[in-house]
Amino acid sequence: QGCDPFAQTQRSKLQHRRARINQQINKEMRMRAGAENLFRATSNHKVKETVALELSYVNSNLQLLKEELEELNSSVDVYQNDSESISVPMIPLGLKETKELDLLVPLKDLISEHYGEEAVLFEKEIKEFMELRQAMRTPSRNEAGLELLMEYYNQLYFLDSRFFPPTKSLGVFFHWYDSLTGVPSHQRALAFEKGSVLFNIGALHTQIGARQDRASLPGLNQAIDAFQKAAGAFNYLKENFSNAPSLDMSTASLNMLVRLMVAQVQECVFEKMTLLRSQHNFLARLQLAQEAARVEDVYLLVHQTMTQAHVKDYVPFSWTTMVHVKSEHFKALSHYFAAIALCDCPAATDAELPEQEKAFIQFHVTMPEGPSLRVLLQDPEERRKLGKAHLKKAIMKHEEAMRIHGLCKILRKMDILQEVLSFAHKRSLSKYSEIDHEEDFFETGDAPDIHPKTHQKPEIKSPNFSQVKVTDLFHRLGPLSVFSAKNKWYPARRVHLMRGENGFGFTLRGDSPVLIAGVIPGGCAAEAGLKEGDYIISVNGKDCKWSKHAEVVQLLKSTGEEGVEITVITL
């Protein structure tokens, strides 16, 4: 459940194309490494020339493949919803791809060497684990897909404890491709596998967020929740998994992704306000303007993060452009709503004045030039003047957003964004011509910027791993407190005991597994070589690794004159 391997949706076609490009990039990288080694090793001038030519060919091939991959990573529209309404597109992330992994032999070796068990008896569990890994490579884009990834992530905790000793490597490499560049990386550490799965949990949240219908309140709330959880997953990854070999999991990239998700939440909060508030009220429009200024602020921060040295060459140009476009677009909207509040709402009455004055004092970053607040709020002509200044600035910013949008070939193909930008631009223009009087001889001033403020701060929601309960697939090996990869024990010993006058001559404590707490000197147990601290793992052939104290006592009590055979281990 939660796995969607055959659904040839646009998204899975996209993933298949990405997987294909990833493989080609991998092949070209191997060829490049071989050619570079040969170039360094040879002293023959002719061979050097040939190799240099081959290298330039391989490098141009790699460049083309990376451009093709960037275009795929920018296929934002594939992840959006199919609703008729026009919403600004959001940026989702593609999943990291991984290679198949065969754990049958390494795990069987460890089961027989470390645990001293018949490895053949655990083939079913190993296959079940490998099937789970295969399924989580293609999660469905819904709650079930998220649960599948969580289930696998939680199973990795048990796998780590059971099969990854601190001193010895399992000899298995985990291969994953970078989400944005397709460059392959591999590591022996299970932490890389865990981190990559966690990255995919975040990426899947972004896809779920991007496909919500944001024209309705439930859709907006789900989008907010999804982007907050995506931010939480990337943030958790940043704080708990360092030294990942791939760029998408570097601190700089994760920092950028957390900020991008927070900005997308903030944008949804703005959309939610436009749905909920009646926009005919002066204070509500001021709030909308401040909310838009807040969205502009967070996108500006994302744009600065994306243009930093470590991130700039790595992030798709279309992402950087889209974030830049959005920061200009929302700045324009903040000035537009300020103008609407001033021009479309009636001048303040004496009763409304105190409340409006209070809101307006904190509205601008710097106070507008001209008359006092009281005069401004009560004089329709003064309001129109300031409104006109705000509209002038809005139009300039709309035009700037459209100019930046036009610089990116990939974004030019995106009709939705084009429509949103030109609609907002036309709306501001028509408002400007409506309030512009022919007899206006004053020079339209420069409107001050609007102070950013939000009524709903985005939360970074960390992943809740406990919501998906899993049982340890390898629980038959025994309780983890004893039977783990980090513990070592001597080979199991079988001991035959006869009941003496004082019973078997030992005392027990604890549960699963039960421990020999004390051995009576000269008693039957002492003669048989049992020691304090031994664990009882079977009684008369019945496995007792998981047995409770009372169950083991009952088994020992029920033995007859022929005595009892127990198996113990010593750590």
Side-chain angles (χ1 to χ4, degrees):
Q1 205 189 2
C3 172
D4 186 8
F6 300 116
Q8 275 294 331
T9 57
Q10 273 188 302
R11 180 188 72 119
S12 68
K13 281 183 195 161
L14 198 67
Q15 294 288 64
H16 290 314
R17 277 170 65 197
R18 286 170 48 143
R20 198 194 72 242
I21 296 174
N22 284 338
Q23 282 160 0
Q24 285 173 293
I25 288 177
N26 204 355
K27 188 174 146 192
E28 295 287 343
M29 299 267 286
R30 285 204 302 270
M31 280 167 71
R32 182 166 78 175
E36 281 171 347
N37 290 340
L38 182 57
F39 189 80
R40 280 194 291 269
T42 185
S43 53
N44 183 322
H45 190 63
K46 199 101 177 116
V47 173
K48 265 197 148 98
E49 268 185 15
T50 315
V51 173
L53 191 68
E54 182 65 29
L55 263 174
S56 67
Y57 176 69
V58 168
N59 282 332
S60 66
N61 257 2
L62 268 171
Q63 190 54 40
L64 287 170
L65 284 168
K66 284 182 177 176
E67 280 172 15
E68 194 182 338
L69 192 67
E70 178 181 335
E71 193 146 345
L72 284 187
N73 282 328
S74 310
S75 304
V76 178
D77 42 342
V78 173
Y79 297 96
Q80 310 299 323
N81 64 71
D82 308 322
S83 119
E84 289 302 304
S85 61
I86 298 177
S87 299
V88 183
M90 292 291 184
I91 297 178
L93 269 96
L95 301 181
K96 283 172 81 71
E97 309 280 347
T98 179
K99 282 187 180 177
E100 287 196 16
L101 184 65
D102 192 353
L103 287 168
L104 191 62
V105 176
L107 292 191
K108 276 173 75 173
D109 286 351
L110 209 97
I111 287 170
S112 57
E113 286 166 25
H114 186 75
Y115 290 95
E117 299 275 1
E118 282 275 344
V120 180
L121 302 176
F122 288 87
E123 279 184 3
K124 180 173 163 285
E125 281 93 335
I126 299 173
K127 284 194 175 121
E128 199 175 321
F129 178 81
M130 278 158 59
E131 279 168 13
L132 178 62
R133 187 180 193 273
Q134 187 59 20
M136 72 86 208
R137 292 173 68 185
T138 50
S140 53
R141 213 167 10 135
N142 52 22
E143 204 55 46
L146 286 166
E147 281 181 13
L148 177 66
L149 285 167
M150 286 274 203
E151 183 186 346
Y152 180 68
Y153 184 89
N154 287 344
Q155 276 299 347
L156 288 175
Y157 161 77
F158 291 116
L159 193 81
D160 195 11
S161 310
R162 295 274 188 206
F163 299 111
F164 283 79
T167 50
K168 183 178 159 227
S169 159
L170 198 59
V172 177
F173 279 105
F174 298 100
H175 292 262
W176 287 85
Y177 294 96
D178 189 293
S179 161
L180 291 178
T181 60
V183 173
S185 307
H186 61 267
Q187 253 189 2
R188 281 201 172 106
L190 190 69
F192 183 39
E193 176 92 348
K194 277 182 169 174
S196 299
V197 174
L198 190 55
F199 185 95
N200 277 358
I201 289 173
L204 198 56
H205 275 303
T206 69
Q207 295 180 10
I208 291 171
R211 74 184 298 207
Q212 298 304 325
D213 176 8
R214 303 199 317 276
S216 70
L217 204 56
L220 269 172
N221 285 330
Q222 280 166 336
I224 289 173
D225 186 55
F227 289 128
Q228 289 187 149
K229 284 177 175 167
F234 296 133
N235 199 48
Y236 186 86
L237 189 55
K238 185 181 77 175
E239 287 172 358
N240 294 284
F241 293 86
S242 50
N243 309 327
S246 69
L247 261 174
D248 52 0
M249 287 156 70
S250 69
T251 307
S253 298
L254 291 168
N255 203 25
M256 177 272 293
L257 289 174
V258 171
R259 285 177 175 177
L260 174 61
M261 294 311 133
V262 166
Q264 300 198 137
V265 173
Q266 200 70 67
E267 188 178 342
C268 293
V269 169
F270 169 78
E271 292 174 332
K272 190 171 161 184
M273 279 219 27
T274 54
L275 267 187
L276 286 177
R277 300 284 158 97
S278 83
Q279 292 171 33
H280 303 301
N281 160 342
F282 178 71
L283 294 175
R285 282 170 172 169
L286 291 189
Q287 268 184 324
L288 263 182
Q290 290 192 301
E291 202 71 62
R294 175 76 189 140
V295 182
E296 176 233 334
D297 229 28
V298 286
Y299 271 121
L300 195 60
L301 180 65
V302 178
H303 186 250
Q304 285 164 359
T305 316
M306 282 183 174
T307 46
Q308 278 170 355
H310 294 300
V311 189
K312 189 172 72 188
D313 301 329
Y314 169 72
V315 175
F317 178 61
S318 55
W319 285 22
T320 318
T321 312
M322 182 129 131
V323 164
H324 196 180
V325 165
K326 283 189 176 188
S327 83
E328 296 292 345
H329 172 65
F330 280 98
K331 188 174 186 112
L333 288 186
S334 71
H335 285 285
Y336 168 77
F337 282 111
I340 291 291
L342 288 161
C343 301
D344 285 12
C345 298
T349 61
D350 289 339
E352 292 166 339
L353 197 61
E355 195 184 4
Q356 290 197 9
E357 252 185 310
K358 190 179 161 200
F360 214 71
I361 280 174
Q362 301 163 344
F363 182 66
H364 290 101
V365 176
T366 53
M367 281 308 285
E369 292 167 9
S372 70
L373 259 188
R374 187 164 288 243
V375 174
L376 173 66
L377 289 170
Q378 291 195 303
D379 180 349
E381 183 55 23
E382 287 300 336
R383 287 172 74 128
R384 184 180 74 84
K385 269 189 195 173
L386 182 56
K388 194 173 167 185
H390 275 300
L391 273 176
K392 184 180 159 190
K393 204 155 191 181
I395 292 164
M396 277 164 55
K397 287 292 162 190
H398 285 309
E399 284 164 1
E400 182 60 6
M402 288 158 81
R403 184 189 70 79
I404 298 163
H405 175 268
L407 295 177
C408 178
K409 183 179 81 183
I410 292 167
L411 286 194
R412 283 203 301 272
K413 295 179 190 169
M414 208 179 284
D415 307 337
I416 309 176
L417 192 54
Q418 189 99 36
E419 275 180 63
V420 171
L421 296 177
S422 87
F423 167 77
H425 181 229
K426 283 176 189 155
R427 185 174 64 173
S428 292
L429 279 175
S430 80
K431 191 78 213 162
Y432 189 84
S433 59
E434 183 190 313
I435 64 162
D436 186 29
H437 295 171
E438 280 177 19
E439 62 274 13
D440 276 356
F441 291 117
F442 62 85
E443 181 65 40
T444 306
D446 186 29
D449 278 338
I450 286 124
H451 186 69
K453 190 178 172 193
T454 181
H455 78 294
Q456 184 180 338
K457 280 188 80 166
E459 272 179 76
I460 293 177
K461 288 189 176 177
S462 286
N464 176 14
F465 299 111
S466 60
Q467 74 184 39
V468 178
K469 299 276 181 284
V470 298
T471 49
D472 175 9
L473 284 175
F474 296 92
H475 71 98
R476 286 196 297 133
L477 288 171
L480 261 176
S481 55
V482 174
F483 301 93
S484 68
K486 69 173 192 281
N487 286 336
K488 289 195 171 74
W489 51 88
Y490 296 100
R493 313 194 305 285
R494 272 189 164 160
V495 179
H496 194 262
L497 297 177
M498 303 297 287
R499 196 196 296 271
E501 288 168 22
N502 301 330
F504 291 113
F506 59 68
T507 54
L508 303 176
R509 71 177 160 84
D511 288 326
S512 7
V514 172
L515 180 79
I516 294 177
V519 177
I520 298 162
C524 175
E527 279 174 25
L530 289 183
K531 293 193 286 292
E532 188 183 320
D534 284 351
Y535 289 101
I536 296 178
I537 59 171
S538 80
V539 175
N540 282 340
K542 183 183 187 307
D543 192 313
C544 292
K545 290 191 194 99
W546 286 97
S547 299
K548 297 269 185 274
H549 184 276
E551 292 167 341
V552 173
V553 169
Q554 192 51 47
L555 282 171
L556 293 169
K557 274 184 177 171
S558 62
T559 54
E561 288 171 7
E562 72 283 359
V564 63
E565 192 168 84
I566 65 172
T567 311
V568 295
I569 58 158
T570 312
L571 281 185

